[in-house]
Amino acid sequence: MRWSQLFIPTLKEDPAAAETASHKLLMRAGYIRPLGSGIYSLLPLAQRVRLKVINIIREEMNAIGGQEFVLPALHPTELWEESGRLGTMGDIMFRLKDRKGSDHVLGVTHEEVFTSIARNALNSYRQLPQIWYQFQTKFRDELRPKSGLLRVREFTMKDSYSFDVDSAGLDKSFDLHKAAYERIFARAGLKFVAVEASSGAMGGSASTEFMVLTDAGEDMVVLCNGCDYAANVEKAVAAVDEYAFGNGQSELEKFPTPGLRTVEQLANFADIGAAKNQIKTLVYSADDQLVLVLLRGDHELNTTKLTDYLAAESLRAADDQEIFSAMGAHAGSLGGVGVKTSAGKIKKVFLDNALKGRRNMVTGANHDDFHYKGVDIERDIEATAWGDFRAVKTGDTCIKCGGTLTIEKSLEIGHIFKLGTRYSTTMDASVLVSSGEKVPIVMGSYGIGVERMMAAAVELSHDKKGIIWPQALSPYDVIVNVINGAEEEALAAGEKLYADLSASGIDVLLDDRAERPGFKFADNDLIGVPLRINIGKKLKDGVVELVERSTGANEDVELQNVVQVLKQKVSGG
RNA sequence: CGGGGCGUAGCGCAGCUUGGUAGCGUGUCCGUUUCGGGUGCGGAAGGCCGGAGGUUCAAAUCCUCUCGCCCCGACCA
């Protein structure tokens, strides 16, 4: 296409509302325009990138036997009542009524719709496995849309679903997807890590997230410096470090601690109270039931782990009143010693694994301004269950190799789940197996955010001048810039090159504008096409320049060789 | 939903404290000039000052309400 005829509304200055690099640059370079909070129009350049992303995904999905569907975005509410997710996801769903007053929702994801098809049409194990996918607009009424395309209320998702007879089949479908996702992101030129993740509201047993490491993301991932261990902080586990017990007595003894309310204050009060020798006591309300969570004094609770462990629909910290009425003391003097789950308002007491076998610990006495020392956890505290509830922090020890863990900010671009029979059971999707028995279909669910992938690519690859697209995602393979767009000979050469390149399957953007060179270079750099041919003064010698956007490297190429050189660059790059 | 910030020309902003004819930069249009990193000069068009109500002789400016956008937090695939 000729730039002079294209709609590429570039901006000289950063838009005031934009904060993150991808937001600023996609706006400035004329890719997107906002329509409302978290709602964006994709302009022609963005649509070209979007289609490149979609085509890569489509090829890889087809390669693992995926079959493309298009399902409705508008769903009758009953479908979501049936799966039970109207309650868990209701807040994030856009809801509307039709003219007859029937309730509908806009789909946030499509487990329900695909399952409703599967339950009618899949009846025999002979029909399995199946992998079904689509590219569809998802609507999510986000609490806070932000960062341009990174967190929006309407976006395209590639979602796929696998249907298998048993969990071995699911494992296979899951692994196929994992491999496909790795190829997709690699082909798209995105540097990513696959991490263990929490399944959250999706339900199911296992999940892997595909993350891009960038400060523009909202997730935290834990990475090991010694091995390939990688997990979302929501899920990450660290080894328990060994250290000597406190030197205090082993007899339980109540002692006054006037005004001491925090672990830190207590640690300064006496040697015995060092943070790791204390027990931190937290009260939570899980689905309206009060539970106690005990952690080592220097550890923090990971609420996702607790929610997942309890399979709770809601979890929140108890308020002051609830705490006092259940424990008889205020936060700061709480402890697990003497708490009877059979009698009081506390129904369960969970202990973090890091407390296992600890003696000579200090904890609150459930009496304001008093603590216990000499606490022997196994002896003095009644545990409902032990588990891993603590949040991993930078510097912790890797459970796999003993290396050191670090926490990095990251952006989720894909997520794959083993759903199991969560949906097939509640929605009654089953098949007959060879024995004649009816078994629920074992499902998996797999998503990639298409526009988020675009934005992630920009976050990872840009400079002061603008975007630098990976070759595979760039809206055009190359820009042919006729530097003096007013000069007929140069323009004619540009047109010929444009035709030749196009004929050999290369997407060319011909910058034929009669603007000043500096102006055009700045625009060229901004939109981020990775390769550029400059047709300038050397044209009279039959030579043009090939410029690499990323490095600025500049080489002369004989006009007659350009097609060949570019073909190699485009396919090889 | 809590906290903070912002709505004035296509975009970026000033003006508001102390009410009195709405400005600057950039972009756009016309002319001219220039032609390898956002040219120089001359001219022009373009604003319901987010919306509603109030105070006042007079409101972009003061007061009340409201709508929208951005950031932080809570939350979330």
Side-chain angles (χ1 to χ4, degrees), chain A residues 259-288:
Chain A
L260 303 181
R261 287 288 183 275
T262 66
V263 168
E264 196 186 346
Q265 288 167 351
L266 200 60
N268 293 331
F269 179 69
D271 291 345
I272 198 173
K276 57 171 62 168
N277 291 325
Q278 296 182 40
I279 305 169
K280 182 182 281 186
T281 306
L282 304 171
V283 186
Y284 272 78
S285 170
D287 295 338
D288 296 324

Coordinates of all heavy atoms in Angstrom, one line a residue, chain A residues 259-288:
Chain A
G259 N 1.6 -3.0 75.1 CA 1.6 -2.1 74.0 C 2.3 -2.7 72.7 O 2.3 -2.1 71.7
L260 N 2.7 -3.9 72.8 CA 3.4 -4.5 71.6 C 2.4 -5.2 70.7 O 1.7 -6.1 71.2 CB 4.5 -5.5 72.1 CG 5.5 -4.9 73.1 CD1 6.5 -6.0 73.4 CD2 6.2 -3.8 72.4
R261 N 2.3 -4.7 69.5 CA 1.3 -5.2 68.6 C 1.8 -5.8 67.4 O 1.1 -6.5 66.6 CB 0.3 -4.0 68.2 CG -0.6 -3.6 69.4 CD -1.7 -4.6 69.6 NE -2.6 -4.1 70.7 CZ -2.4 -4.3 72.0 NH1 -1.3 -4.9 72.4 NH2 -3.3 -3.8 72.8
T262 N 3.0 -5.6 67.1 CA 3.5 -6.1 65.8 C 4.7 -7.1 66.0 O 5.4 -7.1 67.1 CB 4.1 -5.0 64.9 OG1 5.2 -4.4 65.5 CG2 3.0 -3.9 64.7
V263 N 4.9 -7.9 65.0 CA 6.0 -8.9 65.1 C 7.3 -8.1 65.3 O 8.2 -8.5 66.1 CB 6.1 -9.7 63.7 CG1 7.4 -10.4 63.6 CG2 4.9 -10.6 63.6
E264 N 7.5 -7.0 64.6 CA 8.7 -6.2 64.7 C 8.9 -5.7 66.1 O 10.0 -5.8 66.7 CB 8.6 -5.1 63.7 CG 10.0 -4.4 63.4 CD 9.8 -3.2 62.5 OE1 8.7 -3.0 62.0 OE2 10.8 -2.4 62.5
Q265 N 7.9 -5.1 66.7 CA 8.0 -4.6 68.1 C 8.4 -5.7 69.0 O 9.2 -5.5 69.9 CB 6.7 -4.0 68.5 CG 6.3 -2.7 67.8 CD 4.9 -2.3 68.1 OE1 4.1 -3.0 68.6 NE2 4.5 -1.1 67.7
L266 N 7.8 -6.9 68.9 CA 8.1 -8.0 69.8 C 9.5 -8.5 69.6 O 10.2 -8.8 70.5 CB 7.1 -9.1 69.5 CG 6.9 -10.1 70.6 CD1 6.4 -9.5 71.8 CD2 5.9 -11.2 70.1
A267 N 10.0 -8.4 68.3 CA 11.3 -8.9 68.0 C 12.3 -8.0 68.7 O 13.4 -8.5 69.2 CB 11.5 -8.9 66.5
N268 N 12.0 -6.7 68.9 CA 13.0 -5.8 69.5 C 12.9 -5.9 71.0 O 13.7 -5.4 71.7 CB 12.7 -4.4 69.1 CG 13.0 -4.2 67.6 OD1 13.9 -4.9 67.1 ND2 12.3 -3.3 67.0
F269 N 11.8 -6.5 71.5 CA 11.5 -6.6 72.9 C 12.4 -7.6 73.6 O 12.9 -7.4 74.7 CB 10.0 -6.9 73.1 CG 9.6 -7.1 74.6 CD1 9.5 -5.9 75.4 CD2 9.3 -8.3 75.1 CE1 9.1 -6.0 76.7 CE2 8.8 -8.4 76.4 CZ 8.8 -7.3 77.2
A270 N 12.7 -8.7 73.0 CA 13.5 -9.7 73.6 C 14.1 -10.6 72.5 O 13.5 -10.8 71.5 CB 12.6 -10.6 74.5
D271 N 15.2 -11.2 72.8 CA 15.9 -12.0 71.8 C 15.0 -13.1 71.4 O 15.0 -13.5 70.2 CB 17.2 -12.6 72.5 CG 18.2 -11.5 72.7 OD1 18.1 -10.5 72.1 OD2 19.2 -11.8 73.4
I272 N 14.4 -13.7 72.3 CA 13.5 -14.8 72.0 C 12.4 -14.6 71.0 O 11.9 -15.4 70.4 CB 12.9 -15.3 73.4 CG1 12.4 -16.7 73.3 CG2 11.8 -14.4 73.8 CD1 11.9 -17.2 74.6
G273 N 12.2 -13.3 70.9 CA 11.1 -12.9 70.0 C 11.4 -12.7 68.5 O 10.6 -12.2 67.8
A274 N 12.7 -13.0 68.1 CA 13.1 -12.8 66.7 C 12.0 -13.3 65.8 O 11.3 -14.3 66.1 CB 14.4 -13.5 66.5
A275 N 11.8 -12.5 64.8 CA 10.6 -12.7 63.9 C 10.4 -14.2 63.5 O 9.3 -14.7 63.6 CB 10.7 -11.9 62.6
K276 N 11.5 -14.9 63.2 CA 11.3 -16.3 62.8 C 11.0 -17.2 64.0 O 10.6 -18.4 63.7 CB 12.5 -16.8 62.0 CG 13.8 -16.7 62.7 CD 14.9 -17.4 62.0 CE 15.2 -16.8 60.6 NZ 16.4 -17.3 60.0
N277 N 11.1 -16.7 65.2 CA 10.7 -17.5 66.4 C 9.3 -17.1 66.9 O 8.9 -17.6 67.9 CB 11.7 -17.3 67.5 CG 13.1 -18.0 67.1 OD1 13.1 -19.0 66.4 ND2 14.2 -17.4 67.5
Q278 N 8.6 -16.3 66.1 CA 7.3 -16.0 66.5 C 6.3 -16.7 65.6 O 6.6 -17.1 64.5 CB 7.1 -14.5 66.3 CG 7.9 -13.6 67.2 CD 7.6 -12.1 67.0 OE1 6.5 -11.7 66.8 NE2 8.6 -11.3 67.0
I279 N 5.1 -16.7 66.1 CA 4.0 -17.3 65.3 C 3.0 -16.1 65.0 O 2.6 -15.4 65.9 CB 3.2 -18.4 66.0 CG1 4.1 -19.5 66.5 CG2 2.1 -18.9 65.1 CD1 3.4 -20.5 67.4
K280 N 2.8 -15.9 63.7 CA 1.9 -14.8 63.3 C 0.5 -15.4 63.2 O 0.3 -16.5 62.6 CB 2.3 -14.3 61.9 CG 1.5 -13.2 61.4 CD 2.0 -12.8 60.0 CE 3.3 -11.9 60.1 NZ 3.7 -11.4 58.8
T281 N -0.5 -14.8 63.7 CA -1.8 -15.4 63.8 C -2.8 -14.5 63.0 O -3.0 -13.3 63.4 CB -2.3 -15.5 65.3 OG1 -1.3 -16.2 66.0 CG2 -3.6 -16.2 65.4
L282 N -3.4 -15.0 62.0 CA -4.3 -14.2 61.2 C -5.7 -14.8 61.2 O -5.9 -16.0 61.2 CB -3.9 -14.2 59.7 CG -2.4 -13.7 59.5 CD1 -2.0 -13.9 58.1 CD2 -2.3 -12.2 59.9
V283 N -6.7 -13.9 61.3 CA -8.1 -14.4 61.2 C -8.7 -14.1 59.9 O -8.7 -12.9 59.5 CB -8.9 -13.8 62.4 CG1 -10.3 -14.4 62.4 CG2 -8.2 -13.9 63.7
Y284 N -9.3 -15.0 59.2 CA -9.9 -14.8 57.9 C -11.4 -15.3 57.9 O -11.7 -16.2 58.7 CB -9.1 -15.5 56.8 CG -8.1 -14.6 56.2 CD1 -6.9 -14.4 56.9 CD2 -8.3 -13.8 55.1 CE1 -5.9 -13.5 56.5 CE2 -7.3 -13.0 54.6 CZ -6.1 -12.8 55.3 OH -5.2 -11.9 54.8
S285 N -12.2 -14.7 57.1 CA -13.5 -15.2 56.9 C -13.6 -15.8 55.6 O -13.4 -15.1 54.5 CB -14.5 -14.0 57.0 OG -15.8 -14.4 56.6
A286 N -13.8 -17.1 55.5 CA -13.9 -17.9 54.3 C -15.3 -18.3 54.1 O -15.8 -19.1 54.9 CB -12.9 -19.1 54.3
D287 N -16.0 -17.8 53.1 CA -17.4 -18.1 52.9 C -18.2 -18.0 54.2 O -18.9 -18.9 54.6 CB -17.6 -19.5 52.3 CG -17.0 -19.6 50.9 OD1 -16.8 -18.6 50.2 OD2 -16.6 -20.7 50.5
D288 N -17.9 -16.9 54.9 CA -18.6 -16.6 56.2 C -18.3 -17.5 57.3 O -19.0 -17.5 58.3 CB -20.1 -16.5 55.9 CG -20.4 -15.4 55.0 OD1 -19.8 -14.3 55.0 OD2 -21.4 -15.5 54.2

